Amino acid sequence: MTDTVPVIDWASDFDVLDPRYITDPFSIWDDLRTTCPIAHTDRRISSWLPTRYEDVTAIAHDIAHFSSLRVAVIPGGEDDEPPVDFEGPNLEYGLPPISADPPLHTWTRRLLLPWFSHRRVDGYVPMTRDLCRGLLDGFAEGAHADAAAGYAQQIPVRVIAHILGVSTDMSDTFTMWVRDILEFADDPERRQRGAEGLLMYFVEQLEYRRHNPGPDLLSELLGEEVDGKPIDDGIILGIAALVLIAGVDTTWSAIGSSIWHLATHPEDQQRLRDEPGLMALAVEELLRAYSPVTMARLVTEDVEYGGCPMKEGDKVLMNFPAANRDPEAFEEPDVVRLDRAHNRHVAFGSGIHRCAGSNLARMELQVALEEWLHRIPAFSLEQGKEITWAGGQVRGPRILPVVF
Amino acid sequence: MKIRVDPDKCQGHARCYGLAPELFDVDDYGQASVIVDEVPTELEDKARLAVANCPEYAIEILSE
């Protein structure tokens, strides 16, 4: 990752990759909300950072002024021309539906949604539970573990591989590519390695599935017709890449942050053990307090919003995590109340781009926590060991040593 | 009590279904709907909970 110049004024020169923002964005948002609720920066590209619930949700709903054609928080590949030495396919449609506006957004999203309906997700529960148990078998007999790399990181990638119909043997490679694209987007070499690796892999997979269809998402997309014609390969490739990119380190980050919370809040850990029926509400509260995902929008024409002169081509970073900590929208937002009854959190976004995989993410988080608590006795952070966090587009712990 | 989901506002967060599957369903495309004509008295609190958790303000109480 390239070094960032330390931030002095968060209101006019913020940097989401500043180490302070990655480890403790909460106090920065609190300051901004009371002084300058929509911050600006010229770092990388002119970008705005709303921090209030009302602003974030209003901008998410104004799709005419705020397009999803550029959703990367760290402008990388999508904002540049493809590098000349890149021999991969040209994703002229980006990663629909996330990086699309209607009408492309509408029909590609309809293709994807049934794969993540609550009924379909119920069917993925047994394999997710087995997967968690298998991982726990590997370290539960010991006295310590890396809850991020050894557990959280291992779960969503395998569930997604199963849905896509690709080999779970590739899980570590998938994780590496996705981290290259999201977490190390500031490093052109890593970004390109991830993008190229992932796309070339899916090009091969599409070719294979065309002749050997199975009961999986890739095969279904290949067999689908829209307006009497097969779907363009570039669109199928974009959807496949999206499912992998969006389905891996987002959920893994939420699982890791939740375990971090329980490790540092023994009273909440005990409460979930004593009151397992609280888990569904607790999952929503942990998603609110530790929302992993920030998405970007592209300003389509000069517009003034909240007194800010936004210019065509600027980006707006949809700060869903900060919205979820806004005291105007949540009572005592910095306190995790596992049984919070009023919780209109927007961890999965707001408006037409609501996370298509939210049912799956929620299920994975719940099952991962249930199985962890079932198997691991009282646990806490391992003293003297460093915890590392990733941030930018997706925030969560990457190394999380715990003892039990 | 009568409740309704505004289909134009619903974006498929499925929070209502998660909180009160006795009152709501969500179809394969994320569209939520109310599956009872009248909310049974013992489920009225659950209905209010669903209203208070919808991120899109899509659930309305038509009559108490």
Side-chain angles (χ1 to χ4, degrees), chain A residues 61 119 341 343-344 349 351 354, chain B residues 11-12 15 26 51 53-54 56:
Chain A
H61 281 82
R119 273 172 279 271
N343 189 357
R344 295 182 202 267
R354 185 267 309 167
Chain B
Q11 296 292 351
R15 296 290 307 283
V26 180
V51 171
N53 281 275
C54 176
E56 307 289 351

Side-chain angles (χ1 to χ4, degrees), chain B residues 25-59:
Chain B
D25 193 20
V26 180
D27 72 14
D28 283 354
Y29 300 96
Q31 184 67 61
S33 56
V34 178
I35 55 173
V36 294
D37 289 333
E38 189 86 26
V39 177
T41 316
E42 69 276 14
L43 292 178
E44 287 185 357
D45 284 347
K46 275 201 168 189
R48 289 194 189 90
L49 199 61
V51 171
N53 281 275
C54 176
E56 307 289 351
Y57 291 82
I59 309 169

Side-chain angles (χ1 to χ4, degrees), chain A residues 18-34:
Chain A
D18 184 286
R20 276 177 300 161
Y21 190 91
I22 292 173
T23 51
D24 177 23
F26 312 109
S27 57
I28 296 168
W29 298 333
D30 286 346
D31 286 345
L32 287 172
R33 257 188 237 104
T34 53

Side-chain angles (χ1 to χ4, degrees), chain A residues 1-2 17 44 72-86 176-199 245 315 393:
Chain A
M1 196 181 297
T2 49
L17 290 184
R44 299 184 189 87
V73 165
I74 308 303
E78 64 168 23
D79 295 277
D80 312 328
E81 292 300 312
V84 281
D85 53 344
F86 180 60
M176 178 183 80
W177 288 337
V178 172
R179 292 184 75 185
D180 283 344
I181 293 167
L182 292 177
E183 196 176 327
F184 301 99
D186 232 13
D187 176 340
E189 271 178 38
R190 286 199 70 167
R191 196 176 66 226
Q192 189 178 343
R193 179 181 74 172
E196 211 168 293
L198 194 143
L199 288 178
I245 295 171
K315 278 193 163 182
Q393 190 113 28

Side-chain angles (χ1 to χ4, degrees), chain A residues 290-306:
Chain A
Y290 303 104
S291 306
V293 181
T294 303
M295 297 297 297
R297 295 288 186 272
L298 180 71
V299 179
T300 56
E301 59 179 354
D302 292 2
V303 60
E304 185 171 306
Y305 183 86

Side-chain angles (χ1 to χ4, degrees), chain A residues 177-404:
Chain A
W177 288 337
V178 172
R179 292 184 75 185
D180 283 344
I181 293 167
L182 292 177
E183 196 176 327
F184 301 99
D186 232 13
D187 176 340
E189 271 178 38
R190 286 199 70 167
R191 196 176 66 226
Q192 189 178 343
R193 179 181 74 172
E196 211 168 293
L198 194 143
L199 288 178
M200 296 313 279
Y201 176 79
F202 278 124
V203 167
E204 275 174 31
Q205 283 299 312
L206 286 192
E207 211 35 54
Y208 177 77
R209 295 285 154 194
R210 209 184 298 281
H211 305 291
N212 306 276
D216 55 77
L217 175 56
L218 288 184
S219 301
E220 186 182 285
L221 292 173
L222 284 165
E224 210 48 75
E225 288 197 346
V226 175
D227 296 335
K229 286 179 295 194
I231 305 170
D232 187 291
D233 268 8
I235 291 180
I236 297 180
L237 208 53
I239 295 176
L242 166 64
V243 168
L244 188 63
I245 295 171
V248 172
D249 77 344
T250 50
T251 313
W252 142 37
S253 295
I255 297 169
S257 294
S258 299
I259 294 178
W260 175 86
H261 176 84
L262 297 177
T264 52
H265 295 76
E267 68 288 1
D268 283 343
Q269 195 183 130
Q270 192 57 44
R271 190 166 179 206
L272 277 184
R273 293 183 194 278
D274 296 341
E275 301 173 57
L278 208 57
M279 188 55 94
L281 275 186
V283 158
E284 301 301 338
E285 175 66 346
L286 292 164
L287 283 165
R288 180 194 69 80
Y290 303 104
S291 306
V293 181
T294 303
M295 297 297 297
R297 295 288 186 272
L298 180 71
V299 179
T300 56
E301 59 179 354
D302 292 2
V303 60
E304 185 171 306
Y305 183 86
C308 300
M310 299 179 176
K311 301 283 176 220
E312 181 183 345
D314 285 0
K315 278 193 163 182
V316 180
L317 308 189
M318 303 304 291
N319 202 343
F320 299 114
N324 284 337
R325 294 273 191 145
D326 182 354
E328 294 282 315
F330 302 93
E331 213 172 277
E332 289 193 293
D334 292 329
V335 178
V336 170
R337 292 185 192 161
L338 295 179
D339 58 353
R340 186 179 290 271
H342 290 204
N343 189 357
R344 295 182 202 267
H345 76 76
V346 285
F348 294 114
S350 177
I352 66 166
H353 286 277
R354 185 267 309 167
C355 169
S358 60
N359 293 323
L360 179 68
R362 189 178 275 135
M363 179 280 281
E364 289 176 346
L365 178 54
Q366 176 158 347
V367 168
L369 293 180
E370 283 171 353
E371 293 300 323
W372 175 278
L373 287 170
H374 181 67
R375 193 72 181 277
I376 303 291
F379 61 96
S380 56
L381 300 181
E382 187 167 359
Q383 295 303 316
K385 289 276 188 77
E386 197 192 0
I387 300 171
T388 62
W389 294 81
Q393 190 113 28
V394 184
R395 179 179 185 272
R398 292 296 173 263
I399 300 173
L400 181 59
V402 296
V403 282
F404 37 89

